[in-house]
Amino acid sequence: MLPHYWPTLVTGDPLIYGADASIGLVSIAIVFVLTYYKKWGWLWREWLTTVDHKKIGILYLIAALLMLFRGGVDALLMRTQLSRPNLHFLAADHYDQIFTTHGTIMILFVAMPLIFAMFNIVVPLQIGARDVAYPYLNAISFWMFFFGALLLNISFVIGGSPDAGWVSYAPLTENQFDHGPGENFYIMALQITGIGSMATGINFIITILRMRAPGMTLMRMPLFTWSALAASIVVIYAFPALTVALGLLLIDRVAGAHFFSMDHGGNPMMYANLFWIWGHPEVYIVILPAFGVLNEVFPAFSGKRIFGYSTMVASFMAITILSFLLWAHHFFTMGAGPGVNAFFALASMAIGIPTGVKVFNWMFTMYRGRVRMPMPMRWAVGFIPNFVVGGATGVMLATAPGDYQYHNSYFLIAHFHQVLIGGTIYGMFAGMYFWWPKMFGFLLEERIGRLAFWLWNVGFYVTFFPQYLLGLMGMTRRIYTYPAGMGWSSLNLLSTVGAVIMGLGFLFIVWNILYSVMHRSELRDVTGDPWNARSLEWSLPSPAPHYNFAVIPTITRRDEWWEIKKYGRTEDYRPQPGEIQDIHMPNNSGRPFLFSVAFFVVGLGFVFEWYAVVILGFAGVLAIMLHRSQEVDDGHQIPADEIRHEEIALGRL
Amino acid sequence: MAVTKEDAWGVQARSQTTGSTHDENELRVAGFWVFLATDMILFACLFATYIVLRGNTDGGPGPRQLFDVTGFTEETFILLTSSFTCGLATHVMHEGRRRALVLWLSVTALLGLLFVGLEVSEFVRDVSVSATISRSGFLSGFFTLVGTHGCHVSLGILWMGSILFQVMRQGITPAIARKLTIVGLYWHFLDVVWVFLFTVVYLMGVM
Amino acid sequence: MNGNAQFLVLNPAGPVARIELHLIVVSIILVLIIVIPVMLLLAYITRRYRDHPDNTAPYMPEWSESKLLEIIWWGIPVAIVGILGVYTVYDTFALVRPPMKSASPLTVQVTSLNWKWLFQYPDQGIATVNEVDIPANRPVQFVITANSPMNGFWVPQLGGQEYAMPGMAMRLWLEADKPGIFYGHGGNFTGRGYAKMAFHVVSRPQRDFDRWVKLVKQSSPALTQSGYQQLVNAQSNTPTLLFSSYPAGSFERTIRHQGGMYMQRDLSIINADR
């Protein structure tokens, strides 16, 4: 029963023992607090079984911030190791594990849940819906993501982390070279979370296409919702390729097949193709919603319509399509031949065009407006120089012969951090500050927020600009140490200093949140529209009642709520007592949670190749599906009276 | 100006909008179509993989040695027939004929079972001549592509069994009609995938 | 070395790296045409249109369309990408040809191993590890493969990277136009010992190169079949090694065995050399 690598399950590294001990202590502390305050029932009823999109959004956000902490610690460990030449802070094996989990966590378990958090919190409110199309499936998506993330994170404690990079290229990941459970953890964690992502993509496509309030035509839709639609389309077309790439790699590893192996007729390059057919669209999946957030933030804080709405929509769609035609630019250097390289180089440069157009439109949204600079706008304005430089270096990387010199060097590292942090993370932070009052009913405090922003922003440039130069000096990625005398030492030290400053910035964001929670009564948003913003979610109280809209509004134009305010009709826009009817809402359910636990068991089974456990897990999955299928009605009516009472309590009737 | 305002935000437009704006059953069928799109891409990736690897036999058995024309023709015939009976099931469901529905659904599931049985016996035969998944790139691609389709069919059989059980207990309700529509879509989709499998893997393999 | 010389990519020592640097410079200039105005404009707009009571700048909350402006900022990126595209396509095709037609090329077969680089000289019959000696001012055809996870072959001062793929024969033309010692490193992660997969390219005048070959043939040990297997299996880094001979056909066998037999293109490359 025990796998052949059993002795490696608990490694002798003191860092790991320390982590094991602290994880154990924290877990005990959490259990104790929940038991002491008798919160288990509350946790189960309000959060673990919820199907409310607003709560699921909050769960995504919390999980993403926790994972950002883990990924950030990984980053700091790496930067410490690289701060001086020939350091022995981390050994090669350990460094390899850390850069692998850093990349995997940041993309799959930070960027993805951040965008899904925003989708969940914002989209139904923006389009005038009471929930997403499939609330039950939405809960499954979250818990699949959550247990996928958990599976990857426990690899650190038992069995050893994956160590072949976040791309996990075969044949390095084949049994021949890497036979621990680490890679299996990577594969199963991504498979499980991938199922959740795919379901989210389907959910939001249908939500946006079918659940809009009457009168909200596609061209009246807020642009964040447009970005969610575009990203969801990319999700459903891209993720199956990842499922296949990882599935085949798993079959290679556990069944000894030869898809990507070096011998017996395998083809390693096919893995690179399948991986990047998902992997390149993936970066557009996480950047499109950031564009969407900016499309809401710039008009709101400029007191002005978005400039060039139709252009924005067109560029979203252009990016959606082009994102599938770029994947081979990740391996210009794999000998595909000049014709293929030229095609992918041109396509990669071309996607810069619709992206660049967006930047101009944002700036001309501010032009002849009245620009206010609270926290959301600060992150949004900080996004622009970042993303413009990141985009410019992206165009430089797209020139295939130029890429021969940048490929896998620190120039590339600097580039993609610039677009992923400067793009996705800045955009998502803008969104977090912007919609925070809508989630929780109070604003995040400004003073600490500003400090956090500046620490982060300065730290960012100090970290990554030296890395462009290091790339031009010939430093390649994924090396755990380097010799003195290459001239790399001082720039690496500078980069490490920047990383520490960014880490401080993160701590200040956490402090900003904790401080605001403690002072929430002073920071309370009583208007429901603290920013004087434009779209429908701001017509609701903060936080929105669980049924969102007592009466579904009818939409007559873009920026509906702004127009209502402009004409002084906000009073009329509130629900009238006579209009309120019973509302049908979905029931909470514990099944999504248990379903994902069962998948987690399947994952563990595959990781250690314990097939009895795999079968047990699948039996659980099947049992829960059958149980669900026997359910006749999964919703309940909220009587009109109850809604009237609630609206009166909210001061809206 | 005041007049336009009244027109734009008139009460008349609002009054029609209370209550649910969508039909739950129709919504789920729409979502299933999107799911089928993702499944189609999954199969497309597997087909691409198979096509890349199909010549890589590593000196082991190739398609010509392994594929049995009678065997895969039978499988094809059975699966196509099951698609037809599945269509009949949907048809009698619309007419509200519960017993006919139970009959045709059972026939469909049984044909599916027969198909899976034949496929399993084909796999067993291959393995008995040492043509295993770990023998060569070609066989890895073959077993995975055909096996994934087989797993889909097996899941469909379980699914039909569950619906059969519900039909017998509850009769033909709108929710069950929706479930039948969806499982029907799934079944026809698998049939279409099989047509490609039959062509790309088996026919082009023995030709 | 002075500070500037450490920017290896910006200090080419051969025509290939020079073409690549030229393209890099062109691309930098072209993207700056966008980057600089955007930065200035951003600073200007956020300052000029700040929301404070005595700001006299025009405020037009409904103004959101301008055909002319939008044509301008669709047009500029299209033009820039168009120009850069022409350069890129031209260079992409140029780099698959030998950099100089007059001199006859030297062929070096490169194999990435865990975790060292093996270089074989089919015409000279010698082999080296972690150091590759080439004549200056003569095009060198590197034929690259891997008997290990995939790697990248990168000599920043001579020119860009090409992957070392198991079962494939990848061709990379390079040329040094002066004598010197140039840093090279693996470009794609291959496991624990990857960080120390540095190698050096030693470029010398043709006459010195010939003398060096003769010296290696006379004074270095032979790489036997079992020695080759040891190199492949060792899973360790290695210092620089020189061999007076190597097992004939080992390079081609490696490629064939690892899947090259299924790839027409790679078969033709290795057969053309022989």
Side-chain angles (χ1 to χ4, degrees):
Chain A
M1 190 72 187
L2 294 183
H4 52 93
Y5 40 76
W6 181 253
T8 64
L9 280 191
V10 179
T11 57
D13 196 313
L15 265 168
I16 307 274
Y17 284 139
D20 289 0
S22 55
I23 289 170
L25 287 175
V26 170
S27 311
I28 292 168
I30 292 173
V31 170
F32 177 77
V33 168
L34 286 171
T35 312
Y36 186 82
Y37 290 101
K38 299 196 169 62
K39 288 290 188 190
W40 284 106
W42 165 82
L43 187 69
W44 178 258
R45 279 191 309 275
E46 295 290 318
W47 294 100
L48 302 191
T49 60
T50 188
V51 294
D52 180 346
H53 70 97
K54 299 179 286 297
K55 285 186 173 169
I56 289 173
I58 290 169
L59 287 171
Y60 270 120
L61 182 65
I62 294 170
L65 290 175
L66 284 174
M67 286 292 98
L68 182 58
F69 174 74
R70 158 84 210 261
V73 170
D74 283 347
L76 284 174
L77 288 171
M78 283 190 284
R79 282 315 321 165
T80 309
Q81 167 64 21
L82 292 179
S83 59
R84 305 303 303 147
N86 298 317
L87 268 192
H88 293 289
F89 172 67
L90 298 175
D93 293 348
H94 201 172
Y95 185 88
D96 298 345
Q97 297 186 359
I98 289 176
F99 72 65
T100 302
T101 51
H102 169 77
T104 310
I105 284 176
M106 288 302 198
I107 293 280
L108 272 309
F109 302 125
V110 175
M112 290 300 279
L114 276 176
I115 69 159
F116 289 157
M118 296 301 151
F119 284 13
N120 270 288
I121 290 157
V122 180
V123 167
L125 298 178
Q126 266 193 346
I127 62 173
R130 294 210 166 102
D131 208 318
V132 294
Y134 319 111
Y136 179 88
L137 185 67
N138 199 24
I140 289 182
S141 289
F142 172 76
W143 290 110
M144 292 294 273
F145 148 75
F146 180 86
F147 281 102
L150 193 65
L151 192 62
L152 188 79
N153 277 278
I154 64 164
S155 71
F156 175 57
V157 188
I158 49 164
S161 300
D163 59 358
W166 85 279
V167 296
S168 278
Y169 270 179
L172 179 57
T173 46
E174 291 281 331
N175 276 330
Q176 189 184 354
F177 298 105
D178 195 336
H179 52 84
E183 278 309 310
N184 295 353
F185 270 115
Y186 167 92
I187 292 169
M188 290 317 296
L190 266 59
Q191 287 294 44
I192 291 173
T193 198
I195 296 170
S197 303
M198 216 127 58
T200 304
I202 296 172
N203 214 335
F204 278 88
I205 287 177
I206 299 296
T207 303
I208 294 169
L209 292 182
R210 294 297 178 93
M211 308 265 293
R212 298 190 310 277
M216 182 174 277
T217 58
L218 284 175
M219 291 308 274
R220 286 179 188 162
M221 241 167 36
L223 282 164
F224 178 75
T225 300
W226 263 110
S227 77
L229 179 62
S232 299
I233 292 172
V234 185
V235 165
I236 64 152
Y237 284 111
F239 266 81
L242 178 70
T243 306
V244 170
L246 295 176
L248 301 186
L249 187 58
L250 185 75
I251 295 172
D252 268 6
R253 290 176 59 83
V254 303
H258 296 288
F259 286 106
F260 312 125
S261 63
M262 282 171 38
D263 46 9
H264 301 296
N267 185 337
M269 192 167 172
M270 203 164 55
Y271 179 85
N273 273 293
L274 285 170
F275 184 87
W276 286 114
I277 285 173
W278 162 77
H280 199 82
E282 166 68 13
V283 305
Y284 285 92
I285 291 168
V286 299
I287 196 66
L288 283 168
F291 293 164
V293 171
L294 266 65
N295 284 337
E296 302 295 323
V297 168
F298 278 116
F301 295 98
S302 307
K304 188 163 163 283
R305 282 168 181 272
I306 187 81
F307 195 89
Y309 178 96
S310 323
T311 314
M312 286 294 196
V313 172
S315 72
F316 274 137
M317 290 300 113
I319 292 171
T320 301
I321 294 163
L322 280 173
S323 71
F324 286 97
L325 302 176
L326 316 176
W327 81 89
H329 74 206
H330 293 270
F331 40 90
F332 280 144
T333 54
M334 261 186 212
V340 174
N341 278 359
F343 171 80
F344 281 98
L346 291 178
S348 307
M349 288 180 215
I351 203 167
I353 299 168
T355 315
V357 165
K358 283 190 178 298
V359 173
F360 284 108
N361 277 349
W362 291 325
M363 292 206 296
F364 275 77
T365 301
M366 293 187 281
Y367 181 74
R368 295 186 179 164
R370 279 292 174 269
V371 177
R372 291 172 292 144
M373 278 287 183
M375 285 318 300
M377 188 64 164
R378 216 163 270 273
W379 286 102
V381 172
F383 174 106
I384 290 186
N386 244 320
F387 199 75
V388 168
V389 174
T393 53
V395 170
M396 290 167 66
L397 276 153
T399 62
D403 179 75
Y404 299 162
Q405 291 282 40
Y406 306 130
H407 183 81
N408 275 357
S409 77
Y410 264 78
F411 190 92
L412 171 76
I413 303 296
H415 158 73
F416 72 66
H417 281 90
Q418 184 131 26
V419 283
L420 285 171
I421 298 178
T424 303
I425 298 290
Y426 274 51
M428 290 300 120
F429 278 170
M432 181 180 84
Y433 278 91
F434 189 53
W435 282 298
W436 188 273
K438 197 48 69 188
M439 289 181 244
F440 298 104
F442 61 92
L443 286 94
L444 287 172
E445 203 270 342
E446 279 283 317
R447 203 170 30 90
I448 305 169
R450 247 175 239 190
L451 197 58
F453 169 77
W454 280 113
L455 280 170
W456 187 287
N457 206 33
V458 170
F460 177 84
Y461 288 99
V462 176
T463 309
F464 293 105
F465 268 80
Q467 295 189 3
Y468 282 118
L469 302 178
L470 284 167
L472 297 178
M473 288 178 156
M475 181 165 168
T476 45
R477 71 196 291 197
R478 293 175 179 150
I479 52 173
Y480 77 101
T481 191
Y482 53 90
M486 297 297 297
W488 301 346
S489 312
S490 40
L491 284 172
N492 268 304
L493 184 61
L494 190 61
S495 181
T496 303
V497 170
V500 172
I501 300 174
M502 274 179 89
L504 278 178
F506 177 79
L507 290 183
F508 271 86
I509 288 175
V510 174
W511 172 234
N512 191 9
I513 292 172
L514 294 177
Y515 180 92
S516 308
V517 171
M518 287 186 291
H519 294 78
R520 60 187 176 281
S521 50
E522 302 143 46
L523 293 163
R524 193 162 298 285
D525 165 34
V526 288
T527 61
D529 184 14
W531 312 114
N532 193 13
R534 313 177 72 85
S535 45
L536 221 47
E537 71 269 30
W538 305 106
S539 71
L540 295 171
S542 298
H546 57 111
Y547 48 78
N548 297 353
F549 295 88
V551 176
I552 303 284
T554 298
I555 309 304
T556 54
R557 55 192 68 185
R558 274 177 216 157
D559 289 341
E560 173 87 359
W561 176 240
W562 174 262
E563 301 286 330
I564 298 271
K565 288 190 286 187
K566 193 169 77 185
Y567 292 112
R569 310 270 312 196
T570 50
E571 286 304 313
D572 301 358
Y573 211 65
R574 294 183 169 182
Q576 311 299 319
E579 290 177 330
I580 293 177
Q581 296 180 351
D582 294 357
I583 295 177
H584 187 256
M585 293 297 285
N587 290 339
N588 282 1
S589 171
R591 279 186 306 251
F593 182 84
L594 298 174
F595 180 81
S596 310
V597 170
F599 257 107
F600 181 79
V601 172
V602 171
L604 269 185
F606 272 120
V607 165
F608 295 109
E609 298 172 34
W610 295 332
Y611 293 107
V613 177
V614 172
I615 291 166
L616 185 76
F618 272 128
V621 169
L622 216 57
I624 291 164
M625 284 167 80
L626 285 175
H627 188 251
R628 157 80 172 171
S629 73
Q630 303 303 319
E631 194 172 51
V632 179
D633 182 14
D634 64 347
H636 60 280
Q637 288 300 110
I638 311 177
D641 267 345
E642 200 179 313
I643 294 160
R644 254 176 242 126
H645 284 301
E646 191 145 351
E647 292 289 308
I648 289 167
L650 290 166
R652 287 167 61 81
L653 265 183
Chain B
M1 195 65 197
V3 176
T4 27
K5 249 167 32 178
E6 279 306 317
D7 288 345
W9 321 111
V11 180
Q12 198 198 347
R14 291 183 67 186
S15 59
Q16 0 169 310
T17 65
T18 45
S20 177
T21 53
H22 54 265
D23 169 29
E24 191 102 345
N25 289 328
E26 186 265 348
L27 207 57
R28 293 196 187 182
V29 175
F32 197 77
W33 276 104
V34 183
F35 165 77
L36 286 183
T38 68
D39 221 26
M40 186 190 77
I41 293 166
L42 184 121
F43 274 109
C45 291
L46 287 174
F47 269 103
T49 308
Y50 175 79
I51 289 166
V52 169
L53 293 180
R54 74 177 161 189
N56 299 10
T57 51
D58 191 39
R64 243 167 257 225
Q65 287 89 338
L66 291 177
F67 297 163
D68 163 30
V69 179
T70 353
F72 68 74
T73 314
E74 274 168 16
E75 287 175 44
T76 309
F77 184 69
I78 290 167
L79 200 65
L80 290 181
T81 310
S82 82
S83 217
F84 177 67
T85 56
C86 182
L88 285 179
T90 319
H91 180 70
V92 296
M93 173 198 81
H94 286 303
E95 294 178 346
R97 292 160 57 196
R98 181 166 159 183
R99 285 184 43 197
L101 171 60
V102 170
L103 172 73
W104 286 123
L105 208 54
S106 311
V107 170
T108 309
L110 283 176
L111 286 172
L113 216 52
L114 193 59
F115 169 84
V116 173
L118 282 174
E119 195 171 296
V120 168
S121 73
E122 183 197 341
F123 281 9
V124 168
R125 204 170 51 242
D126 291 344
V127 171
S128 72
V129 295
S130 301
T132 63
I133 193 167
S134 54
R135 177 63 193 85
S136 68
F138 153 68
L139 282 165
S140 302
F142 167 75
F143 280 113
T144 306
L145 174 56
V146 178
T148 305
H149 178 266
C151 285
H152 273 71
V153 174
S154 309
L155 194 70
I157 295 167
L158 283 176
W159 195 355
M160 279 184 188
S162 157
I163 293 173
L164 207 53
F165 181 67
Q166 293 169 55
V167 173
M168 292 198 282
R169 268 184 43 185
Q170 301 165 19
I172 305 172
T173 65
I176 286 176
R178 177 248 303 160
K179 289 179 189 183
L180 272 166
T181 310
I182 290 178
V183 84
L185 283 176
Y186 181 74
W187 202 256
H188 296 312
F189 167 76
L190 291 181
D191 215 31
V192 173
V193 172
W194 179 261
V195 170
F196 280 95
L197 260 169
F198 171 76
T199 315
V200 173
V201 177
Y202 289 104
L203 272 188
M204 288 166 74
V206 293
M207 268 178 358
Chain C
M1 273 198 252
N2 64 36
N4 189 32
Q6 290 170 333
F7 289 93
L8 302 179
V9 171
L10 308 181
N11 281 285
V16 174
R18 204 163 288 121
I19 291 174
E20 286 160 354
L21 178 62
H22 177 253
L23 185 61
I24 288 171
V25 171
V26 168
S27 68
I28 291 178
I29 293 169
L30 285 171
V31 296
L32 284 180
I33 295 176
I34 298 255
V35 171
I36 292 174
V38 165
M39 297 293 184
L40 296 176
L41 206 57
L42 180 67
Y44 168 76
I45 289 176
T46 49
R47 213 164 280 269
R48 176 88 169 94
Y49 296 100
R50 258 318 158 81
D51 182 36
H52 51 83
D54 42 349
N55 191 343
T56 56
Y59 176 43
M60 301 168 69
E62 303 296 323
W63 180 67
S64 65
E65 303 280 340
S66 162
K67 281 258 152 37
L68 178 69
L69 282 173
E70 297 209 67
I71 287 169
I72 291 173
W73 61 65
W74 279 94
I76 294 174
V78 167
I80 287 177
V81 165
I83 296 167
L84 191 56
V86 171
Y87 276 102
T88 301
V89 172
Y90 183 82
D91 287 348
T92 306
F93 280 89
L95 290 180
V96 294
R97 294 188 293 265
M100 189 170 63
K101 289 190 185 69
S102 52
S104 68
L106 172 78
T107 297
V108 180
Q109 297 168 333
V110 185
T111 312
S112 162
L113 303 174
N114 272 355
W115 286 282
K116 61 254 172 196
W117 291 96
L118 173 66
F119 301 97
Q120 296 168 326
Y121 294 71
D123 297 327
Q124 285 73 18
I126 59 170
T128 59
V129 169
N130 288 344
E131 177 188 311
V132 54
D133 294 59
I134 58 169
N137 293 313
R138 189 174 155 195
V140 183
Q141 178 192 206
F142 288 97
V143 183
I144 307 164
T145 192
N147 198 348
S148 72
M150 56 180 76
N151 205 332
F153 178 78
W154 188 30
V155 189
Q157 283 186 277
L158 295 187
Q161 195 179 126
E162 191 68 36
Y163 265 37
M165 307 277 292
M168 290 171 73
M170 321 278 279
R171 205 188 325 228
L172 176 66
W173 287 102
L174 294 180
E175 182 183 329
D177 51 15
K178 60 184 177 197
I181 300 176
F182 307 110
Y183 171 82
H185 200 283
N188 191 55
F189 181 68
T190 55
R192 186 158 35 88
Y194 164 75
K196 305 211 163 148
M197 275 190 82
F199 61 92
H200 288 94
V201 180
V202 180
S203 154
R204 11 175 160 236
Q206 181 70 45
R207 195 173 311 159
D208 295 359
F209 175 76
D210 294 339
R211 208 172 297 143
W212 172 81
V213 170
K214 202 173 285 172
L215 192 72
V216 173
K217 271 191 167 317
Q218 285 162 359
S219 59
S220 300
L223 179 62
T224 59
Q225 184 60 39
S226 71
Y228 177 82
Q229 276 313 322
Q230 258 171 22
L231 274 182
V232 173
N233 297 337
Q235 307 283 312
S236 61
N237 298 113
T238 313
T240 301
L241 300 170
L242 302 173
F243 298 105
S244 58
S245 69
Y246 60 83
S250 56
F251 184 77
E252 292 78 2
R253 268 199 304 280
T254 301
I255 292 180
R256 277 216 181 79
H257 174 70
Q258 290 171 350
M261 56 191 162
Y262 303 114
M263 300 188 197
Q264 274 316 309
R265 191 202 65 161
D266 300 271
L267 283 180
S268 68
I269 288 178
I270 52 178
N271 291 335
D273 287 340
R274 299 288 11 99

